[in-house]
Amino acid sequence: VVGGRQVGIADAPWVVALSSRDRFGGTRAGQFCGGVVVAPTKVLTAAHCLGREVLGGEPWEVRDFAVIAGRASLRGQGGQEVRVSDTWINPDYDPTTNSGDLAVLTLVSPLPESYVIGVARPEDAAYAPGTAADVYGWGDTTGRGSYASALRTARVQVLPDTACERAYPGGSGVRYRGDTMVCAGDPQGGKDACQGDSGGPLVAGGLLIGLVSWGSGCGEAENPGVYTRVSTVLPERF
Ligand code: 4AZ
């Protein structure tokens, strides 16, 4: 998160870190992506977090990583480290366009009900352009590879689809689509998600509206952040 501030886990108990088990320890505990708790045994993250494009090599297997919940400082010992029993990658996820970038992790043991955040519905007012929204993560704070060991958040706003259609017209490959993505950012620039925040939550009106997915650079006024539109991409039952 660039342009944000540090936040305690009591203010965002639904935010989790995905951590590589063979890189566990160290100041960032192997954190490679974010996630969000939507039921005691269900965590949403970005599909691309589990793909070959993260850290290279083979797609992640459930034995390779764990979810760290209830912990803001990755140097700390609080909260829970929970293993994953199953992953569901959205079958409509398209890595060439980035559409549908969502995966569901099933945890081996339940987290407290108090960690669960509600998911917005498609017609929810929280999606209206101009709505204030908060993004959370342990990702790059500078755009130059300086990662946070303590959770951070930045206040952005939901932007009209046209802002991202203009920034990301695509043609070939990655492009913005308002039906499966949400456009959000800081019209002045400076506040945004960044590398390492992928899979983490975008929250508006107390509801989950998006997952950090992609964008060009970090905090550039003319290049907003693009988020997975959870309300349309997440199946009714998961
Ligand atoms: C990334 O690479 C990434 N500024 C995530 C979000 C944004 C840029 C890059 C948005 O994970």
Side-chain angles (χ1 to χ4, degrees), residues 121-188:
R121 284 183 295 225
E123 65 280 10
D124 220 293
Y127 284 109
T131 303
D134 299 304
V135 60
Y136 297 82
W138 289 270
D140 194 346
T141 61
T142 60
R144 282 176 266 104
S146 177
Y147 288 81
S149 65
L151 182 63
R152 300 186 74 82
T153 185
R155 167 73 45 101
V156 293
Q157 62 178 259
V158 178
L159 297 173
D161 287 331
T162 50
C164 279
E165 287 162 357
R166 194 178 313 124
Y168 310 113
S172 69
V174 171
R175 66 176 184 278
Y176 182 80
R177 285 178 53 169
D179 58 338
T180 59
M181 302 175 188
V182 182
C183 185
D186 176 5
Q188 273 77 56

